[in-house]
């Protein structure tokens, strides 16, 4: 298998602190309302306590990326060396087709540039031997970068509850499910 | 572009533009386009992010009131801050910050920042008029001289300051006051005083293990502390402890994010933690699991404590008071007592109660009786001030010749008061209680507090009983606030002075939790007309001396970097292994610790030099000598009201920043679905939270993380939002705090309210 | 929730024009009798298509970059759609200008087939995986129905008297199928996964949906059944109905990403 970088989202460790999302904003200064990475709380049907378990998600750098397939101007390409899906903004004409089409909502509309944009896996940082800004920022190592060619964590899942299943896209992201503590709630209320 | 910039700034600022109109004008003309140097242009994924030496880098440090006090590396290009990251050199932060820290990049350029000295035409009117620094200083200086003239002293000048910026050089605000004369100071701390006293009675000081030794613990109890939100960098050590086999227990009235990550979570009844600790202690005693060796060699008063437990405490009693089943109390007590080392992290919320100090003493006792004090991976962890031995040069200024104040000597105390005895004096400052700021202003006479100088603090958001605070402010003749943003205190001020952000000033930052020291370099030139607190003091001194030579001893010309250097001394250099302060430009340094454990020599700071289960000093100060159970405050409304920290803010800072409001756009009151359904409240409904003090109108969020008798709102200030939880929090004192911090703490979590649909 | 007005105008216009040229071609070559105002009809179709294409440019952040959409004919249906619609406009325009008595047969057939192909491209463009309710044949069906309804309806303005009854039959049939499909679609969605169900609920809860069903489909159907011919006011109502339906299509297209962290 060729090298394919992926985000490893360890929801068991994740504390939902939003540091990764803000670290991304700190690096790229997205326009107001535009986030390349967002931290999604899990619905109570999945984790019984509201806003206590999260998935931090950005672009999944899919094996078969919808954004690249639907882009009429070929503004997307997938890097051969590591599978990172890159959006070339100077080619983008702002048709919004990728934004509509990506089932994971990775491409976002930049209302000022009138173009799409999305998580680039910080490929320039990768090329400079650095971790992506979000990965570096995570205070609990709940967000990591892994190479799927070598990744073999038996506890990891690709499509946990709360993350839509699109096998044709084969999103490059793996999850560890959140756990609950032994709950000792008050006997007097 | 240049002409355009000039034009629009000029237009925006000419005439008596109100702030609102000013901001509107900025927004209309494209606020960013108006800023010098076309700041903070959004970067595209491909545009110009090059990592090889394309940036100037600087060392900064987060100066907020936070465990983590992160060391920051800042990347600057063309004089504009581009991005920041955690200093890689610190093993504590490991190159990362937190959600608040990463929002700093926006802070200097945030469109709603206070940019110039401004005067408000009528407090609360929002009708702000720009002043020059000279005009602002002139108005202030004349008021100071007028008070001196009228009262014969400057006790009418009050100063309130606390933790808004812990950079060491910011103690210049106190220094500036001293350089004017004897003034009125609000002392004490709303933060952690009862626990500080408790630890001082038990151990002789507040001194915690290095948090980096959590992985050595075999058992960790996180008691009333939420590091997942308030000390994110500590979490990895707690996870490391678990990865090495330790059990993690979280005890909290709220199922916090930390509790969700623990192995076991106890939903303790608020303010019953002391009973729980004593119940555990009783069971450990009954099971013969007391570390006799340790207790015999290193403590005094254990037998009295044991007999108190036998006569007054049972596990069932503890279970009934705390709501935690007896079976779990016994099981965890046994596990805790047999795992070695075991540690408890004592949070600050637990001591914000009328029985808070007593509670911390009970928890301390639990750690001590199991022999876990003084051990690597053990300890009753609360905080420390081991790395704060600076010169406080900025603070230690002389009063002008002939200045008068309160006759005689008044002992000044404070958690961060390190200056020691100043020798015999004829006059002193007037000391008022910071935890009763509103009441103290209302009560102060001869002279009344005429003028208030607010810096590094936001009393309207953080002090108690907002309605009373309004009455107190109404009594003040002049309010000057030094801040970055037009917060709710600035709204109630006459003059606002723009202060530098961390990137625009020189200072030093130490932590009260970990053992790292960071320098804070000036990374960018101050934006607009912002000045550091040192420069503000110099500017005021210049004007004072212009109007009345000799009326202020503060230097009129300062170099802020030199002032930063003046804070260092040989002890600091030795402590951190520094040749000079310049070494810190290579990255933060950690104190050279003999052991990661506090009290590793087992020589305690108490009068007996031993751990004192029985503290005569504590009894002398009007408390029980033993860590006995103390009754909590009687409820005065149906529901317990908690107002803890949110992950998106530290007190009233950060949540107003536009970047942050994107992730956390509005406040909520959180309530259990049962509490809600009894009141006909649905998720998302607008509700009124009310008690005798006031009310808050807010959206409801239903959640199982709270018990049915408790509601919660996070303390925070949102830009352009009147939300303020202090409408509902009174200034009832905690039991301890006076001994070490000068004033008792405040029972922030002994508050009650009810909620109804609007 | 975005109204995507340029896309509403573009898709409805293009489909109306396609319906019109297809109907016109069929009418001309599959039946006997006078052709009616055929040149005006094709010019009208060309104009409507041109307006649609123009409207589509307003959807772009950078309209001047529109020519680059040719770049990705390989996999991007949007490229195919745009190129198809452009070529179609050229064909229809040439056909309109070369009318001598009737439309050039080859051009007419090319236009009709290409039109259907463009509707197919559109169906593919607007059925991405991100909209579970649409990630199927439904968008194509919706679009084809728009062409099938507006085609005969608009043709009634141009066709000869002799052919009005045929148009009326076609319209009646299209309306009947349309009513069934548009009533059934939300029902199918309501039995699907969370996001599909949300789409169904959003449709059913929207007054626009019911207005579109009643005024755009049921009422016209009743009129057609009763009158057996297309009254002159009806196409206007039908255009309004289709525009409303398309607005609905874009406004309530619930995206999978809106439910991240939830049950799918």
């Amino acid at each position: 298998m060729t090298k394919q970088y992926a985000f490893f989202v360890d929801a068991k460790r994740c504390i939902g602190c939003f540091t990764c999302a803000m670290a991304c904003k700190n690096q790229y200064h997205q326009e107001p309302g535009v986030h390349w990475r967002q931290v999604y709380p899990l619905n109570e049907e999945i984790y019984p306590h509201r806003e206590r378990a999260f998935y931090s998600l950005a672009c999944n750098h899919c094996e078969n990326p919808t954004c690249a397939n639907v882009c009429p101007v070929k503004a997307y390409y997938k890097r051969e060396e590591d599978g990172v899906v890159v959006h070339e903004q100077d080619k983008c004409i702002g048709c919004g087709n990728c934004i509509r089409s990506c089932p994971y909502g990775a491409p976002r509309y930049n209302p000022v540039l009138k173009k799409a944009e999305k998580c680039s896996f910080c490929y320039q940082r990768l090329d400079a031997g650095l971790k992506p800004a979000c990965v570096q920022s995570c205070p609990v190592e709940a967000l990591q970068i892994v190479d799927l060619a070598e990744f073999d964590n038996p506890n990891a899942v690709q499509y946990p509850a709360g993350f839509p299943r699109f096998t044709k896209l084969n999103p490059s992201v793996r999850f560890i499910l959140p756990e609950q503590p032994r709950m000792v709630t008050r006997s007097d209320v | 572009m240049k002409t355009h910039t000039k034009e629009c700034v000029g237009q925006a600022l000419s005439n008596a533009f109100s702030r609102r109109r000013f901001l509107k004008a900025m927004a209309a003309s494209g606020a960013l386009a108006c800023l010098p140097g076309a700041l903070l242009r959004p970067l595209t994924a491909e545009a110009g992010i090059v990592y090889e030496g394309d940036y100037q880098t600087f060392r900064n440090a987060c100066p907020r009131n936070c465990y983590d006090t992160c060391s920051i590396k800042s990347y600057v290009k063309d004089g504009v801050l581009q991005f920041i990251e955690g200093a890689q050199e610190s093993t504590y932060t490991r190159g990362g910050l937190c959600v608040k820290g990463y929002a700093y990049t926006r802070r200097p350029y945030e469109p709603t920042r206070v940019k110039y000295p401004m005067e408000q035409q009528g407090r609360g009117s929002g009708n702000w008029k720009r002043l020059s620094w000279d005009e602002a200083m002139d108005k202030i200086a004349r008021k100071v001289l007028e008070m001196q003239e009228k009262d014969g002293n400057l006790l009418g000048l009050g100063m309130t300051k606390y933790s808004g910026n812990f950079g060491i050089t910011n103690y210049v605000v106190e220094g500036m006051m001293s350089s004017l004369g004897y003034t009125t100071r609000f002392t004490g701390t709303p933060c952690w005083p009862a626990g500080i006293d408790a630890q001082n009675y038990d151990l002789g000081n507040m001194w915690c293990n290095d948090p980096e030794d959590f992985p050595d613990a075999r058992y960790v109890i996180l008691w009333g502390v939420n590091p997942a939100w308030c000390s994110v960098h500590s979490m990895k050590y707690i996870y490391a402890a678990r990865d090495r086999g330790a059990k993690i227990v979280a005890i909290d009235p709220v199922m916090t994010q930390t509790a969700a990550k623990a192995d076991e979570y106890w939903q303790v009844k608020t303010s019953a933690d002391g009973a729980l600790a004593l119940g555990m202690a009783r069971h450990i005693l009954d099971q013969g699991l007391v570390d006799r060796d340790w207790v015999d060699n290193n403590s005094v008063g254990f037998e009295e404590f044991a007999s108190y437990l036998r006569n007054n405490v049972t596990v069932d009693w503890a279970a009934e008071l705390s709501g935690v089943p007896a079976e779990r109390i016994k099981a965890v007590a046994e596990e805790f007592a047999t795992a070695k080392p075991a540690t408890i992290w004592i949070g600050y919320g637990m001591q914000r109660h009328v029985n808070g100090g007593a509670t911390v003493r009970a928890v301390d006792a639990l750690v001590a009786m199991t022999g876990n004090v003084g051990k690597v991976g053990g300890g009753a962890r609360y905080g420390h001030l081991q790395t704060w031995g600076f010169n406080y040069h900025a603070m230690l200024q002389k009063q002008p010749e002939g200045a008068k104040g309160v006759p005689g000597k008044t002992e000044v105390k404070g958690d961060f008061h390190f200056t020691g005895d100043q020798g015999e004096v004829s006059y002193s400052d007037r000391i008022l209680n910071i935890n009763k700021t509103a009441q103290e202003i209302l009560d102060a006479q001869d002279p009344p507090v005429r003028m208030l100088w607010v810096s590094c603090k936001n009393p309207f958001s953080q002090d108690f009983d907002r309605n009373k605070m309004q009455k107190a402010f109404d009594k003040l003749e002049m309010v000057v606030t030094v801040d970055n943003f037009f917060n709710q205190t600035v709204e109630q001020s006459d003059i606002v002075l723009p202060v530098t952000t961390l990137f625009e000033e020189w200072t030093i930052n130490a932590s009260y939790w970990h053992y790292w020291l960071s320098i804070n370099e000036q990374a960018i030139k101050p934006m607009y007309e912002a000045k550091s607190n040192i420069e503000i003091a110099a500017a005021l001194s210049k004007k004072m001396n212009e109007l009345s030579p000799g009326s202020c001893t503060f230097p009129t010309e300062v170099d802020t970097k030199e002032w930063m250097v003046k804070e260092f001394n040989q002890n600091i250099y030795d402590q951190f292994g520094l040749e000079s302060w310049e070494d810190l430009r290579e990255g933060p340094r950690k104190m050279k610790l003999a052991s990661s454990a506090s009290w590793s020599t087992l020589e305690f700071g108490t009068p007996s030099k031993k751990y004192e289960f029985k503290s005569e000093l504590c009894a002398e100060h009007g408390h029980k000598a033993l860590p006995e159970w103390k009754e909590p405050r009687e409820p005065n409304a149906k529901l317990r009201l908690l107002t803890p920290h949110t992950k998106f803010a530290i007190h009233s800072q950060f949540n107003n920043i536009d970047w942050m409001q994107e992730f956390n756009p509005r406040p909520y009151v959180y309530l259990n679905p049962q509490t809600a359904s009894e009141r006909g409240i649905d998720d998302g409904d607008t509700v009124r939270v009310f008690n005798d003090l006031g009310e808050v109108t807010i959206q409801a969020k239903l959640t199982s993380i709270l018990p049915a008798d408790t509601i919660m709102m996070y303390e925070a200030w949102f830009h352009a939002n009147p939300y303020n939880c202090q409408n509902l929090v009174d200034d009832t004192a905690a039991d301890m705090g006076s001994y070490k911090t000068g004033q008792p703490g405040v029972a922030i979590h002994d508050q009650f309210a009810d909620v109804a649909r609007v | 929730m975005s109204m995507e007005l340029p896309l509403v105008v573009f898709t409805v216009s293009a489909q109306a024009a396609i319906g019109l040229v297809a109907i016109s071609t069929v009418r001309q070559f599959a039946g006997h009798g006078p052709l009616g105002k055929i040149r005006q009809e094709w010019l009208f179709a060309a104009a409507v298509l041109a307006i649609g294409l123009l409207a589509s440019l307003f959807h772009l952040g950078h309209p001047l970059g529109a020519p680059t959409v040719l770049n990705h004919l390989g996999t991007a249906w949007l490229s195919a759609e745009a190129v198809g619609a452009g070529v179609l406009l050229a064909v229809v325009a040439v056909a309109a200008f070369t009318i001598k008595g009737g439309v050039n047969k080859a051009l007419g057939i090319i236009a009709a087939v290409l039109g259907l192909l463009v509707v197919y491209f559109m169906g593919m463009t607007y059925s991405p995986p991100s909209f579970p309710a649409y990630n199927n044949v439904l968008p194509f069906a919706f679009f084809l129905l728009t062409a099938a309804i507006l085609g005969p309806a608009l043709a009634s303005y141009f066709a000869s008297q002799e052919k009005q009854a045929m148009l009326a039959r076609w319209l009646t049939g299209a309306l009947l199928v349309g009513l069934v499909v548009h009533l059934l679609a939300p029902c199918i969605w309501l039995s699907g996964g969370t996001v599909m169900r949300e789409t169904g609920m959003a449709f059913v809860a929207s007054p626009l949906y019911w207005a579109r069903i009643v005024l755009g489909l049921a009422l016209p159907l009743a009129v057609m059944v009763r009158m057996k011919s297309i009254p002159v006011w009806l196409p206007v109502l039908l255009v309004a109905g289709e525009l409303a339906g398309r607005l609905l299509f874009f406004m309530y297209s619930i995206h999978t990403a809106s439910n991240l962290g939830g049950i799918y």
Side-chain angles (χ1 to χ4, degrees), chain C residues 176-197:
Chain C
L176 185 62
V177 176
L179 186 60
V180 171
V181 168
H182 283 284
L183 281 173
L184 270 181
C187 298
I188 296 166
W189 295 337
L190 286 173
S191 65
T194 309
V195 178
M196 219 189 241
R197 201 165 58 243

Side-chain angles (χ1 to χ4, degrees), chain C residues 38-56:
Chain C
I38 190 104
R39 185 188 288 272
Q40 284 95 322
E41 187 174 25
W42 282 71
L43 282 173
F44 179 75
V48 168
L49 187 54
I51 288 169
L53 275 166
L54 194 66
S56 77

Side-chain angles (χ1 to χ4, degrees), chain C residues 150-171:
Chain C
L150 295 185
L154 294 171
S156 71
Y157 291 148
F158 304 101
S160 60
Q161 205 50 46
E162 290 81 350
K163 301 232 169 137
Q164 291 292 344
M166 183 179 78
L167 292 178
R169 280 197 303 279
W170 289 352
L171 179 58

Side-chain angles (χ1 to χ4, degrees), chain B residues 11 40 175 188 205 217 249 290 294 390 395 422 436 603 619 637 667 707:
Chain B
Q11 270 171 19
L40 266 199
N205 199 353
V249 177
V290 174
W294 194 94
F390 301 95
M395 182 170 165
Q422 299 303 299
K436 293 186 187 291
E603 184 173 326

Side-chain angles (χ1 to χ4, degrees), chain A residues 30-95:
Chain A
Q30 289 95 343
E31 292 296 341
V34 181
H35 315 116
W36 294 353
R37 177 169 289 283
Q38 181 59 289
V39 180
Y40 297 91
L42 300 190
N43 187 310
E44 281 158 287
E45 293 157 299
I46 299 172
Y47 191 87
H49 304 286
R50 191 171 185 179
E51 292 171 6
R52 286 294 175 268
F54 303 83
Y55 295 151
S56 167
L57 299 173
C59 174
N60 300 316
H61 301 274
C62 300
E63 187 196 4
N64 179 24
T66 299
C67 54
N69 291 337
V70 304
C71 176
V73 299
K74 281 195 187 166
Y76 287 91
Y77 69 95
K78 192 169 171 69
R79 302 214 308 176
E80 278 178 19
E81 63 266 42
D82 53 17
V84 169
V85 177
V86 177
H87 178 245
E88 292 178 284
Q89 213 159 23
D90 48 353
K91 290 187 183 169
C92 180
I93 59 167
C95 76

Side-chain angles (χ1 to χ4, degrees), chain A residues 11-14 16 26 28-29 31-33 35 49-52 88-89 124-125 136 182 184 186-187, chain B residues 40 42 44-46 51 82 84 95 105 239 255 261 263 265 267 647 662 683 701-702 704-705 709:
Chain A
K12 186 184 168 191
R13 291 178 73 91
C14 176
N26 159 69
Y28 297 103
H29 307 175
E31 292 296 341
H35 315 116
H49 304 286
R50 191 171 185 179
E51 292 171 6
R52 286 294 175 268
E88 292 178 284
Q89 213 159 23
Q124 297 99 329
R125 287 182 65 103
Q136 184 183 317
R182 173 178 185 160
V184 180
R186 269 168 60 190
S187 52
Chain B
L40 266 199
T44 67
E46 359 170 0
Y51 293 88
Q82 299 292 338
I84 63 173
T105 311
Y239 284 158
M255 191 208 181
K261 296 295 158 187
D263 296 304
Y265 161 58
Q267 187 181 58
K647 59 185 164 187
E662 282 189 24
D683 194 54
K701 199 178 250 194
L702 310 192
S704 61
I705 64 164
D709 63 351

Side-chain angles (χ1 to χ4, degrees), chain B residues 130 242 305 327 333 345 347 433 455 471 494-495 647 724 737:
Chain B
R130 183 176 171 184
R242 172 158 56 199
F305 179 53
E327 167 265 323
W345 184 350
N433 182 353
S455 187
K471 288 193 192 96
D494 302 298
I495 290 178
K647 59 185 164 187
N724 191 331

